[in-house]
mmCIF file of all heavy atoms in Angstrom:
data_model
loop_
_atom_site.group_PDB
_atom_site.id
_atom_site.type_symbol
_atom_site.label_atom_id
_atom_site.label_comp_id
_atom_site.label_asym_id
_atom_site.label_seq_id
_atom_site.Cartn_x
_atom_site.Cartn_y
_atom_site.Cartn_z
ATOM 1 N N ILE A 145 84.282 97.156 108.994
ATOM 2 C CA ILE A 145 84.861 95.959 109.619
ATOM 3 C C ILE A 145 85.348 96.336 111.014
ATOM 4 O O ILE A 145 86.157 97.249 111.172
ATOM 5 C CB ILE A 145 86.026 95.412 108.764
ATOM 6 C CG1 ILE A 145 85.522 95.119 107.336
ATOM 7 C CG2 ILE A 145 86.619 94.160 109.396
ATOM 8 C CD1 ILE A 145 86.586 94.610 106.382
ATOM 9 N N ALA A 146 84.837 95.637 112.023
ATOM 10 C CA ALA A 146 85.062 96.057 113.418
ATOM 11 C C ALA A 146 85.894 95.020 114.179
ATOM 12 O O ALA A 146 85.883 93.836 113.852
ATOM 13 C CB ALA A 146 83.717 96.274 114.107
ATOM 14 N N PRO A 147 86.593 95.468 115.224
ATOM 15 C CA PRO A 147 87.409 94.571 116.058
ATOM 16 C C PRO A 147 86.610 94.093 117.276
ATOM 17 O O PRO A 147 85.440 94.429 117.437
ATOM 18 C CB PRO A 147 88.551 95.473 116.490
ATOM 19 C CG PRO A 147 87.881 96.808 116.676
ATOM 20 C CD PRO A 147 86.773 96.880 115.655
ATOM 21 N N TRP A 148 87.292 93.340 118.149
ATOM 22 C CA TRP A 148 86.598 92.726 119.280
ATOM 23 C C TRP A 148 86.745 93.495 120.584
ATOM 24 O O TRP A 148 86.108 93.146 121.570
ATOM 25 C CB TRP A 148 87.094 91.285 119.513
ATOM 26 C CG TRP A 148 88.596 91.133 119.515
ATOM 27 C CD1 TRP A 148 89.352 90.609 118.505
ATOM 28 C CD2 TRP A 148 89.523 91.496 120.544
ATOM 29 N NE1 TRP A 148 90.691 90.636 118.834
ATOM 30 C CE2 TRP A 148 90.823 91.174 120.088
ATOM 31 C CE3 TRP A 148 89.388 92.070 121.819
ATOM 32 C CZ2 TRP A 148 91.978 91.403 120.844
ATOM 33 C CZ3 TRP A 148 90.545 92.306 122.573
ATOM 34 C CH2 TRP A 148 91.809 91.968 122.086
ATOM 35 N N ASN A 149 87.596 94.526 120.639
ATOM 36 C CA ASN A 149 87.862 95.098 121.965
ATOM 37 C C ASN A 149 86.714 95.958 122.502
ATOM 38 O O ASN A 149 86.440 95.942 123.701
ATOM 39 C CB ASN A 149 89.204 95.848 121.996
ATOM 40 C CG ASN A 149 89.283 96.966 121.003
ATOM 41 O OD1 ASN A 149 88.520 97.020 120.036
ATOM 42 N ND2 ASN A 149 90.209 97.880 121.227
ATOM 43 N N TYR A 150 86.064 96.719 121.606
ATOM 44 C CA TYR A 150 84.840 97.454 121.967
ATOM 45 C C TYR A 150 83.847 97.186 120.838
ATOM 46 O O TYR A 150 83.609 98.070 120.003
ATOM 47 C CB TYR A 150 85.110 98.957 122.075
ATOM 48 C CG TYR A 150 86.147 99.339 123.105
ATOM 49 C CD1 TYR A 150 87.422 99.752 122.727
ATOM 50 C CD2 TYR A 150 85.841 99.286 124.466
ATOM 51 C CE1 TYR A 150 88.370 100.095 123.673
ATOM 52 C CE2 TYR A 150 86.784 99.628 125.412
ATOM 53 C CZ TYR A 150 88.052 100.031 125.015
ATOM 54 O OH TYR A 150 88.995 100.375 125.947
ATOM 55 N N MET A 154 83.018 100.338 118.537
ATOM 56 C CA MET A 154 83.781 100.459 117.290
ATOM 57 C C MET A 154 82.854 100.341 116.077
ATOM 58 O O MET A 154 83.038 101.033 115.068
ATOM 59 C CB MET A 154 84.881 99.391 117.222
ATOM 60 C CG MET A 154 85.995 99.564 118.246
ATOM 61 S SD MET A 154 86.900 101.120 118.078
ATOM 62 C CE MET A 154 86.164 102.080 119.392
ATOM 63 N N TRP A 157 81.332 103.712 115.607
ATOM 64 C CA TRP A 157 82.238 104.683 114.980
ATOM 65 C C TRP A 157 82.303 104.495 113.465
ATOM 66 O O TRP A 157 82.565 105.441 112.727
ATOM 67 C CB TRP A 157 83.651 104.557 115.563
ATOM 68 C CG TRP A 157 83.773 105.057 116.961
ATOM 69 C CD1 TRP A 157 82.765 105.415 117.817
ATOM 70 C CD2 TRP A 157 84.986 105.252 117.689
ATOM 71 N NE1 TRP A 157 83.288 105.803 119.026
ATOM 72 C CE2 TRP A 157 84.645 105.722 118.982
ATOM 73 C CE3 TRP A 157 86.329 105.063 117.383
ATOM 74 C CZ2 TRP A 157 85.601 106.010 119.954
ATOM 75 C CZ3 TRP A 157 87.289 105.350 118.341
ATOM 76 C CH2 TRP A 157 86.926 105.823 119.622
ATOM 77 N N LYS A 172 80.770 93.968 109.131
ATOM 78 C CA LYS A 172 81.267 92.657 109.549
ATOM 79 C C LYS A 172 81.917 92.813 110.919
ATOM 80 O O LYS A 172 82.993 93.373 111.054
ATOM 81 C CB LYS A 172 82.300 92.086 108.565
ATOM 82 C CG LYS A 172 82.520 90.591 108.835
ATOM 83 C CD LYS A 172 83.853 90.078 108.415
ATOM 84 C CE LYS A 172 84.973 90.358 109.369
ATOM 85 N NZ LYS A 172 84.838 89.696 110.698
ATOM 86 N N PRO A 173 81.230 92.307 111.956
ATOM 87 C CA PRO A 173 81.843 92.382 113.284
ATOM 88 C C PRO A 173 82.987 91.376 113.404
ATOM 89 O O PRO A 173 83.152 90.509 112.542
ATOM 90 C CB PRO A 173 80.689 92.014 114.219
ATOM 91 C CG PRO A 173 79.723 91.244 113.386
ATOM 92 C CD PRO A 173 79.909 91.660 111.955
ATOM 93 N N SER A 174 83.743 91.487 114.476
ATOM 94 C CA SER A 174 84.795 90.493 114.721
ATOM 95 C C SER A 174 84.170 89.108 114.873
ATOM 96 O O SER A 174 83.101 88.960 115.471
ATOM 97 C CB SER A 174 85.565 90.845 115.988
ATOM 98 O OG SER A 174 86.329 89.734 116.413
ATOM 99 N N GLU A 175 84.865 88.120 114.371
ATOM 100 C CA GLU A 175 84.393 86.729 114.482
ATOM 101 C C GLU A 175 84.310 86.290 115.945
ATOM 102 O O GLU A 175 83.588 85.344 116.274
ATOM 103 C CB GLU A 175 85.312 85.778 113.700
ATOM 104 C CG GLU A 175 86.800 85.878 114.031
ATOM 105 C CD GLU A 175 87.524 86.935 113.192
ATOM 106 O OE1 GLU A 175 86.931 87.991 112.905
ATOM 107 O OE2 GLU A 175 88.693 86.703 112.824
ATOM 108 N N GLY A 202 81.426 86.542 110.427
ATOM 109 C CA GLY A 202 82.370 85.585 109.853
ATOM 110 C C GLY A 202 83.807 86.006 110.053
ATOM 111 O O GLY A 202 84.098 87.066 110.624
ATOM 112 N N GLN A 203 84.697 85.169 109.559
ATOM 113 C CA GLN A 203 86.131 85.376 109.728
ATOM 114 C C GLN A 203 86.648 86.497 108.814
ATOM 115 O O GLN A 203 86.067 86.754 107.751
ATOM 116 C CB GLN A 203 86.886 84.079 109.361
ATOM 117 C CG GLN A 203 86.466 82.860 110.154
ATOM 118 C CD GLN A 203 86.986 82.892 111.591
ATOM 119 O OE1 GLN A 203 88.056 83.432 111.851
ATOM 120 N NE2 GLN A 203 86.226 82.333 112.509
ATOM 121 N N GLY A 204 87.776 87.088 109.211
ATOM 122 C CA GLY A 204 88.391 88.116 108.382
ATOM 123 C C GLY A 204 88.809 87.587 107.021
ATOM 124 O O GLY A 204 88.572 88.223 105.990
ATOM 125 N N GLU A 205 89.407 86.401 107.024
ATOM 126 C CA GLU A 205 89.963 85.913 105.753
ATOM 127 C C GLU A 205 88.912 85.397 104.769
ATOM 128 O O GLU A 205 89.232 85.187 103.598
ATOM 129 C CB GLU A 205 91.063 84.862 105.976
ATOM 130 C CG GLU A 205 90.727 83.687 106.829
ATOM 131 C CD GLU A 205 91.016 83.932 108.313
ATOM 132 O OE1 GLU A 205 91.041 85.085 108.763
ATOM 133 O OE2 GLU A 205 91.187 82.936 109.025
ATOM 134 N N GLY A 208 85.500 88.967 105.610
ATOM 135 C CA GLY A 208 86.172 90.277 105.546
ATOM 136 C C GLY A 208 86.797 90.501 104.184
ATOM 137 O O GLY A 208 86.603 91.552 103.556
ATOM 138 N N VAL A 209 87.532 89.515 103.719
ATOM 139 C CA VAL A 209 88.201 89.634 102.415
ATOM 140 C C VAL A 209 87.153 89.822 101.302
ATOM 141 O O VAL A 209 87.326 90.651 100.397
ATOM 142 C CB VAL A 209 89.094 88.392 102.151
ATOM 143 C CG1 VAL A 209 89.505 88.312 100.690
ATOM 144 C CG2 VAL A 209 90.325 88.439 103.063
ATOM 145 N N VAL A 212 85.965 93.387 101.207
ATOM 146 C CA VAL A 212 86.975 94.300 100.668
ATOM 147 C C VAL A 212 87.102 94.119 99.151
ATOM 148 O O VAL A 212 87.299 95.083 98.406
ATOM 149 C CB VAL A 212 88.343 94.067 101.354
ATOM 150 C CG1 VAL A 212 89.405 94.993 100.772
ATOM 151 C CG2 VAL A 212 88.228 94.276 102.859
ATOM 152 N N LEU A 222 87.979 100.051 108.280
ATOM 153 C CA LEU A 222 88.405 98.963 109.179
ATOM 154 C C LEU A 222 88.976 99.531 110.462
ATOM 155 O O LEU A 222 89.798 100.449 110.427
ATOM 156 C CB LEU A 222 89.484 98.116 108.492
ATOM 157 C CG LEU A 222 90.220 97.154 109.440
ATOM 158 C CD1 LEU A 222 89.684 95.741 109.297
ATOM 159 C CD2 LEU A 222 91.710 97.141 109.217
ATOM 160 N N THR A 223 88.578 98.981 111.575
ATOM 161 C CA THR A 223 89.318 99.173 112.817
ATOM 162 C C THR A 223 89.884 97.816 113.180
ATOM 163 O O THR A 223 89.137 96.834 113.307
ATOM 164 C CB THR A 223 88.423 99.699 113.948
ATOM 165 O OG1 THR A 223 87.900 100.972 113.544
ATOM 166 C CG2 THR A 223 89.212 99.879 115.228
ATOM 167 N N GLY A 224 91.198 97.749 113.319
ATOM 168 C CA GLY A 224 91.820 96.463 113.608
ATOM 169 C C GLY A 224 93.326 96.585 113.686
ATOM 170 O O GLY A 224 93.863 97.672 113.912
ATOM 171 N N SER A 225 93.999 95.487 113.488
ATOM 172 C CA SER A 225 95.451 95.452 113.627
ATOM 173 C C SER A 225 96.130 96.059 112.398
ATOM 174 O O SER A 225 95.520 96.186 111.329
ATOM 175 C CB SER A 225 95.892 93.997 113.785
ATOM 176 O OG SER A 225 95.468 93.260 112.651
ATOM 177 N N VAL A 226 97.399 96.391 112.552
ATOM 178 C CA VAL A 226 98.170 96.920 111.425
ATOM 179 C C VAL A 226 98.203 95.889 110.295
ATOM 180 O O VAL A 226 98.047 96.229 109.117
ATOM 181 C CB VAL A 226 99.601 97.289 111.876
ATOM 182 C CG1 VAL A 226 100.479 97.632 110.681
ATOM 183 C CG2 VAL A 226 99.555 98.467 112.851
ATOM 184 N N ALA A 228 96.006 93.608 109.462
ATOM 185 C CA ALA A 228 94.728 93.598 108.730
ATOM 186 C C ALA A 228 94.606 94.859 107.879
ATOM 187 O O ALA A 228 94.145 94.804 106.734
ATOM 188 C CB ALA A 228 93.557 93.491 109.703
ATOM 189 N N ALA A 231 96.605 94.455 104.771
ATOM 190 C CA ALA A 231 95.946 93.530 103.838
ATOM 191 C C ALA A 231 94.783 94.229 103.134
ATOM 192 O O ALA A 231 94.591 94.092 101.919
ATOM 193 C CB ALA A 231 95.452 92.288 104.585
ATOM 194 N N VAL A 232 94.020 95.020 103.885
ATOM 195 C CA VAL A 232 92.869 95.727 103.310
ATOM 196 C C VAL A 232 93.346 96.789 102.307
ATOM 197 O O VAL A 232 92.789 96.924 101.214
ATOM 198 C CB VAL A 232 92.012 96.356 104.431
ATOM 199 C CG1 VAL A 232 91.011 97.359 103.877
ATOM 200 C CG2 VAL A 232 91.287 95.261 105.210
ATOM 201 N N GLU A 246 91.710 102.513 111.048
ATOM 202 C CA GLU A 246 92.033 102.835 112.445
ATOM 203 C C GLU A 246 92.742 101.613 113.008
ATOM 204 O O GLU A 246 92.104 100.596 113.296
ATOM 205 C CB GLU A 246 90.751 103.103 113.239
ATOM 206 C CG GLU A 246 89.998 104.340 112.804
ATOM 207 C CD GLU A 246 90.714 105.625 113.163
ATOM 208 O OE1 GLU A 246 91.611 105.591 114.027
ATOM 209 O OE2 GLU A 246 90.387 106.655 112.563
ATOM 210 N N LEU A 247 94.055 101.704 113.155
ATOM 211 C CA LEU A 247 94.827 100.492 113.454
ATOM 212 C C LEU A 247 95.411 100.530 114.870
ATOM 213 O O LEU A 247 94.903 101.210 115.730
ATOM 214 C CB LEU A 247 95.890 100.320 112.369
ATOM 215 C CG LEU A 247 95.308 100.374 110.937
ATOM 216 C CD1 LEU A 247 96.396 100.268 109.893
ATOM 217 C CD2 LEU A 247 94.229 99.318 110.720
ATOM 218 N N GLY A 248 96.454 99.788 115.073
ATOM 219 C CA GLY A 248 96.980 99.607 116.417
ATOM 220 C C GLY A 248 97.632 100.854 116.992
ATOM 221 O O GLY A 248 97.808 101.862 116.303
ATOM 222 N N GLY A 249 97.990 100.769 118.263
ATOM 223 C CA GLY A 249 98.658 101.877 118.924
ATOM 224 C C GLY A 249 99.686 101.382 119.930
ATOM 225 O O GLY A 249 99.741 100.190 120.252
ATOM 226 N N ASP A 279 93.109 98.150 124.400
ATOM 227 C CA ASP A 279 92.647 99.455 123.941
ATOM 228 C C ASP A 279 93.759 100.032 123.081
ATOM 229 O O ASP A 279 94.928 100.037 123.486
ATOM 230 C CB ASP A 279 92.386 100.350 125.165
ATOM 231 C CG ASP A 279 91.783 101.684 124.791
ATOM 232 O OD1 ASP A 279 92.415 102.428 124.007
ATOM 233 O OD2 ASP A 279 90.696 102.003 125.289
ATOM 234 N N CYS A 280 93.386 100.515 121.898
ATOM 235 C CA CYS A 280 94.413 101.004 120.966
ATOM 236 C C CYS A 280 95.107 102.254 121.490
ATOM 237 O O CYS A 280 96.197 102.584 121.040
ATOM 238 C CB CYS A 280 93.786 101.255 119.611
ATOM 239 S SG CYS A 280 92.289 102.234 119.734
ATOM 240 N N GLU A 377 102.629 96.124 119.840
ATOM 241 C CA GLU A 377 101.421 96.198 120.642
ATOM 242 C C GLU A 377 101.238 94.893 121.428
ATOM 243 O O GLU A 377 101.246 93.811 120.843
ATOM 244 C CB GLU A 377 100.252 96.393 119.668
ATOM 245 C CG GLU A 377 99.022 96.953 120.268
ATOM 246 C CD GLU A 377 97.948 97.194 119.200
ATOM 247 O OE1 GLU A 377 97.910 96.479 118.183
ATOM 248 O OE2 GLU A 377 97.134 98.097 119.417
ATOM 249 N N PHE A 379 98.533 94.562 123.804
ATOM 250 C CA PHE A 379 97.078 94.446 123.882
ATOM 251 C C PHE A 379 96.662 93.528 125.028
ATOM 252 O O PHE A 379 95.866 92.598 124.874
ATOM 253 C CB PHE A 379 96.507 93.965 122.546
ATOM 254 C CG PHE A 379 95.404 94.855 122.041
ATOM 255 C CD1 PHE A 379 95.618 96.211 121.864
ATOM 256 C CD2 PHE A 379 94.144 94.353 121.753
ATOM 257 C CE1 PHE A 379 94.614 97.052 121.414
ATOM 258 C CE2 PHE A 379 93.122 95.184 121.301
ATOM 259 C CZ PHE A 379 93.359 96.528 121.120
ATOM 260 N N LEU A 405 99.074 106.642 117.270
ATOM 261 C CA LEU A 405 97.645 106.879 117.539
ATOM 262 C C LEU A 405 97.426 107.917 118.648
ATOM 263 O O LEU A 405 96.688 108.871 118.463
ATOM 264 C CB LEU A 405 96.953 105.558 117.894
ATOM 265 C CG LEU A 405 95.431 105.608 117.945
ATOM 266 C CD1 LEU A 405 94.843 106.058 116.613
ATOM 267 C CD2 LEU A 405 94.861 104.250 118.336
ATOM 268 N N HIS A 443 89.370 111.124 116.329
ATOM 269 C CA HIS A 443 90.238 110.071 116.845
ATOM 270 C C HIS A 443 90.813 109.350 115.630
ATOM 271 O O HIS A 443 90.061 108.857 114.797
ATOM 272 C CB HIS A 443 89.414 109.109 117.705
ATOM 273 C CG HIS A 443 90.101 107.811 118.005
ATOM 274 N ND1 HIS A 443 90.834 107.597 119.151
ATOM 275 C CD2 HIS A 443 90.178 106.656 117.303
ATOM 276 C CE1 HIS A 443 91.325 106.371 119.145
ATOM 277 N NE2 HIS A 443 90.934 105.777 118.031
ATOM 278 N N SER A 449 99.485 103.674 112.472
ATOM 279 C CA SER A 449 98.182 103.568 113.152
ATOM 280 C C SER A 449 97.040 103.869 112.193
ATOM 281 O O SER A 449 95.870 103.821 112.591
ATOM 282 C CB SER A 449 98.129 104.500 114.363
ATOM 283 O OG SER A 449 98.999 104.020 115.372
ATOM 284 N N ASP A 454 87.965 108.812 113.093
ATOM 285 C CA ASP A 454 86.698 108.390 113.663
ATOM 286 C C ASP A 454 86.194 109.518 114.563
ATOM 287 O O ASP A 454 86.981 110.322 115.059
ATOM 288 C CB ASP A 454 86.875 107.122 114.513
ATOM 289 C CG ASP A 454 86.870 105.850 113.672
ATOM 290 O OD1 ASP A 454 86.234 105.845 112.608
ATOM 291 O OD2 ASP A 454 87.505 104.866 114.095
HETATM 292 P P1 LIG B 501 92.127 92.188 113.658
HETATM 293 O O1 LIG B 501 92.932 93.003 112.727
HETATM 294 O O2 LIG B 501 92.511 90.790 113.904
HETATM 295 O O3 LIG B 501 90.611 92.125 113.172
HETATM 296 C C1 LIG B 501 89.833 93.310 113.013
HETATM 297 C C2 LIG B 501 88.709 92.996 112.065
HETATM 298 O O4 LIG B 501 89.264 92.843 110.753
HETATM 299 C C3 LIG B 501 87.967 91.692 112.366
HETATM 300 O O5 LIG B 501 86.601 91.860 112.081
HETATM 301 C C4 LIG B 501 88.617 90.716 111.392
HETATM 302 O O6 LIG B 501 87.781 89.635 111.059
HETATM 303 C C5 LIG B 501 88.872 91.608 110.191
HETATM 304 N N1 LIG B 501 89.945 91.200 109.293
HETATM 305 C C6 LIG B 501 91.132 90.645 109.626
HETATM 306 N N2 LIG B 501 91.880 90.456 108.510
HETATM 307 C C7 LIG B 501 91.143 90.921 107.463
HETATM 308 C C8 LIG B 501 91.373 91.011 106.050
HETATM 309 N N3 LIG B 501 92.501 90.596 105.497
HETATM 310 N N4 LIG B 501 90.409 91.552 105.278
HETATM 311 C C9 LIG B 501 89.267 92.002 105.826
HETATM 312 N N5 LIG B 501 88.988 91.930 107.147
HETATM 313 C C10 LIG B 501 89.924 91.408 107.956
HETATM 314 O O7 LIG B 501 92.047 93.050 114.999
HETATM 315 P P2 LIG B 501 91.423 92.599 116.380
HETATM 316 O O8 LIG B 501 92.394 91.633 116.961
HETATM 317 O O9 LIG B 501 89.998 92.230 116.205
HETATM 318 O O10 LIG B 501 91.438 93.970 117.187
HETATM 319 C C11 LIG B 501 92.542 94.420 117.864
HETATM 320 C C12 LIG B 501 93.296 95.419 117.012
HETATM 321 O O11 LIG B 501 92.435 96.507 116.690
HETATM 322 C C13 LIG B 501 94.454 96.020 117.755
HETATM 323 O O12 LIG B 501 95.556 96.111 116.906
HETATM 324 C C14 LIG B 501 93.950 97.413 118.115
HETATM 325 O O13 LIG B 501 94.946 98.348 118.327
HETATM 326 C C15 LIG B 501 93.098 97.745 116.957
HETATM 327 N N6 LIG B 501 92.150 98.800 117.315
HETATM 328 C C16 LIG B 501 92.342 100.058 116.808
HETATM 329 C C17 LIG B 501 91.485 101.091 117.156
HETATM 330 C C18 LIG B 501 91.666 102.475 116.613
HETATM 331 O O14 LIG B 501 90.773 103.296 116.775
HETATM 332 N N7 LIG B 501 92.779 102.795 115.979
HETATM 333 C C19 LIG B 501 90.411 100.830 118.009
HETATM 334 C C20 LIG B 501 90.242 99.542 118.507
HETATM 335 C C21 LIG B 501 91.129 98.529 118.137
#
Side-chain angles (χ1 to χ4, degrees):
I145 303 178
W148 47 256
N149 59 341
Y150 300 106
M154 293 299 101
W157 288 10
K172 195 206 80 64
S174 165
E175 53 272 37
Q203 303 286 328
E205 54 271 24
V209 165
V212 179
L222 167 101
T223 299
S225 59
V226 171
V232 167
E246 294 290 342
L247 308 177
D279 185 301
C280 49
E377 200 176 29
F379 232 56
L405 191 58
H443 165 94
S449 290
D454 277 332

